[in-house]
Amino acid sequence: MAEVATNHPMDEIKNDPRVPAELNNNVFITTLDKLYNWGRKRSMWPMLFGLACCAIEMICTAASRHDLARFGWELMRPSPRQADLMIVSGTVTKKMVPQIVRLYNQMPEPRYVIAMGACATSGGPFKEGYNVVSGIDKFLPVDVYIPGCPPRPEALLHGFIKLQEKIEKQSLRTVSWYRKGEATVVPVPVLGPDLTDLRRAQEIVGRVQANQTEAVQPAA
Amino acid sequence: MSETTPAPATATPAKPAPKAAPAARHAEKKPAVTLATMTPEMNAVQQHFGEVLIQPAPFEGFLVTDPAKVRDVALFLRDQLHFEMLSNQTAVDYPAENVIEVVYHVSHISGGRPLCFKTRVPRDESVAVPSVTPVYPGAEFQEREIYDMYGVRFSEHPDLRRILMWEGFNGWPLRKDWKEAYYEGDTKPFDSRWPGGHHKLAEERVPWADNVNYPPGFDPNAYVSNPDGNLYESMLTGTNGHELSAPEIDIGADTVVGVEPGLKTDQIIVNMGPQHPSTHGVLRMVVRIDGETITDLKLVLGYLHRNHEKIGERNTWLHNIPYTDRLDYICGMANEMGYVIAVERMMGIQPTERAEYLRVIMAELTRIQSHFWAIGFVLNDLGAFYTPALYFITERDLIIDLFEAVTGSRMMCNYMRFGGVARDFTPEQLARARELVFERIPRAIDELERLLSDNEIIKARTIGVGYMSAERSIAYSLTGPCLRAAGVPYDIRRADPYSIYDRFDFDIPVLYGGDVYDRYRIRVLEMRQSLRILEQALNQIDQTPAGDIQAGKKAYNHRVPAGQTYARVETPKGELGFYLVSDGGQNPWRYHVRSSSFINLNSMREMTIGQKVADAVVILGSLDIVLGEVDR
Ligand code: SF4
């Protein structure tokens, strides 16, 4: 088996007297969680999916100088079915967000979301715009936020490492995708007179009616 | 002057509403309105159509007092006065006079300042303007944008739907009285942004706790969403609107070409994008295909519509400089240059000599790195997945490093200022620029050509693909390398010179193939010409005093005299224009970006019909669009 990093669980048992000498360096004992996460975090397949200016820095990160392949993350897949990481790299507009949510729903579990840059985090410089969503976390659960406009490639790498740390802490016993029940599906927002989040439909109905009565009363 | 002469274009002082008057901040100042002086060309139009119809407009151009005659005027301008190309078309809202002004800029392909003409329609949508698409097909997207943003209807337009927003969106966003959900004030700086202002998130200030607004009576459960309008139906039935245009004028290849006669096949509609590896961002192509052959194509835009213009009209003049970086985010410097030149023209100031050189150096380096990027990604689209692109990104990174050293940012440089630039090059940075220009980049371009220009596969895939003739290119307002690859030597640096480009010895390369291969080759040739300019600029810059980079004092709040201007520069993508209207205040009254990526896309339909699906991807790549500039 290939040599692994020095902090590998292997070290803990190297000198364990219960392990016969001839088995040393040939048998690994570890927890399933650690093995599972170790493999997982080093072979993320991000979705090839650029939104705006930040996507250019994402491409630069994947290119030769910054070389995303060092982390085992270079296999970008255009299809959400084959990807387990969505890098929201740019401004999320109202017109685009139904598609983003649909792509997220199409990704198999386990799946992660990185909000790259000010726009994906909060709307950024374009926050006040009428067609801009104030951050993708209004719709999707975000794992790592990366500040910057655009974040430098190093910052994106830092974000990746943070996500690796997060993955390391997950346990097979508690992760949602091995539990019973339906996978979480985010309802796809609807493009009405303005962007409509269907999870808020009831509230919208109520408030629109309340506003109407307010508006009618002074006139009456 | 007759009764119909409109009041001054500057709406602020006359605004009757006391509260929420747009730009009330500078209401005390009454700017003088000057009428445009009549040029010989304007006189010719006036003679032909009469003084009742044609009058000098405020500040610039002439006014067509009867909107119904706009198409006749356009036809006269094109056929009699030889303004072959529609450079720019936009609208301006003047609520005080209750009009929306539609503004056209037309150009000679042989060069010179563009000619401006305007017409005015009431804001209540009662009057439609005849579409000029039969005269200038390049108006198609621009008219759709005006309809989308202002609600101005264009009669006999081939396909009048919303373009940047979706069908069903509530309101006409660029009208001055339309307020976005996070509305805080008409103009910046907002109170919340001052020291001591409140520190509330926008979400906490607004009724819906989010960036949304719903009209009365809206019921999300009953609402039937149809964001594309009748897009699919019109494409399936073939009545996609283009046939409705004036029959005597040929508007494009509507007939199904490339399909075997006698072979009956079903046509199907396929969506490519907005999430698709070939679309260079969030563009959506809807194609009707017959087997592998494209029989119709429509583009759906707006997936990156970031409300640049609405935000730009709230911003102060200075605020907009970093926003222009985010238009075409590959070439931020070139965009900045266009914007500062436009504002300088209105303020009547000149940058210092050294600043001019620094701007040219930055703009030409930008052109080189943008063309590297463009070529790399055309190759990507051809199927040479990433290998060539990686080489070119390496070279681009070196240029970007220089940008970063000088400005502090890799892409969003925020470097140019009104009357100068923000920082000077140090001697080391100049040496680095020289090393790049004299040593590194020429070799990289040689290598690029060795690798690609004679490559058998590239030739087989690109020669004759996506052809567009010179005439059609001009009609479609195609600009930039794509136009020059079709045999038209039209480059703003020569056609309407700006900055100090008249000092340099360089050529405008022209090729005649009009296909994807020539669009690739012209970019290589342009990079070499950019190097020539850079060599001269880097040699001459030492004659200017170091550190002299800003004319006048540095200022944060610029007041730009009342007026209007259309200034344009040649970015790596084509003609980038800024149409600015000032009412004398700290903020633009109108801030319009004439984006070449957006208008170049207009011609894509005609280029692709009859080609294979895989070619559509390559044709899109050869147009070299950047979605930030397409959707703004
Ligand atoms: S954060 Fe900045 S760089 Fe990134 S998408 Fe937004 S504007 Fe562009």
Side-chain angles (χ1 to χ4, degrees), chain B residues 460-476:
Chain B
R461 283 292 311 274
T462 57
I463 291 179
V465 170
Y467 171 75
M468 182 162 267
S469 68
E471 292 75 29
R472 297 305 291 165
S473 302
I474 295 170
Y476 273 116

Side-chain angles (χ1 to χ4, degrees), chain A residues 33-103:
Chain A
D33 269 344
K34 276 191 176 155
L35 187 67
Y36 175 68
N37 289 338
W38 174 76
R40 226 151 54 86
K41 76 177 187 187
R42 282 179 170 80
S43 67
M44 291 294 256
W45 289 15
M47 186 152 68
L48 182 63
F49 166 58
L51 285 179
C53 352
C54 281
I56 306 295
E57 287 294 54
M58 183 173 79
I59 296 170
C60 285
T61 315
S64 39
R65 181 187 288 184
H66 298 281
D67 193 11
L68 204 52
R70 289 178 293 167
F71 298 82
W73 302 51
E74 80 282 12
L75 208 59
M76 295 216 176
R77 309 310 295 186
S79 162
R81 305 282 186 201
Q82 301 170 337
D84 38 23
L85 168 68
M86 177 189 262
I87 305 171
V88 185
S89 55
T91 317
V92 182
T93 62
K94 291 180 184 171
K95 196 166 177 180
M96 189 63 197
V97 77
Q99 276 75 289
I100 299 178
V101 170
R102 197 169 292 138
L103 287 168

Side-chain angles (χ1 to χ4, degrees), chain A residues 52-54 89-91 116-120 125-126 148-151, chain B residues 306 326 412:
Chain A
C53 352
C54 281
S89 55
T91 317
M116 177 183 182
C119 283
F126 296 97
C149 180
Chain B
R306 301 193 278 198
R326 286 151 181 87
M412 309 303 175

Side-chain angles (χ1 to χ4, degrees), chain B residues 41-60:
Chain B
E41 281 148 344
M42 284 155 66
N43 279 329
V45 184
Q46 201 173 36
Q47 262 172 21
H48 188 266
F49 288 99
E51 283 187 21
V52 181
L53 186 65
I54 306 293
Q55 289 166 1
F59 299 112
E60 194 192 16

Side-chain angles (χ1 to χ4, degrees), chain B residues 267-336:
Chain B
Q267 307 220 348
I268 52 169
I269 289 198
V270 180
N271 270 297
M272 295 168 78
Q275 197 277 120
H276 191 278
S278 73
T279 53
H280 294 231
V282 281
L283 175 78
R284 179 167 144 219
M285 297 189 263
V286 186
V287 288
R288 188 179 72 200
I289 50 175
D290 188 324
E292 278 281 300
T293 308
I294 295 181
T295 56
D296 197 1
L297 172 135
K298 287 266 167 151
L299 297 172
V300 183
L301 309 177
Y303 292 102
L304 193 53
H305 178 47
R306 301 193 278 198
N307 327 126
H308 197 90
E309 294 181 3
K310 187 82 176 176
I311 295 175
E313 285 165 22
R314 304 234 188 272
N315 281 347
T316 66
W317 295 96
L318 193 68
H319 270 144
N320 276 332
I321 295 176
Y323 278 89
T324 58
D325 281 328
R326 286 151 181 87
L327 271 175
D328 170 354
Y329 33 76
I330 310 271
C331 2
M333 291 280 196
N335 308 337
E336 285 174 23

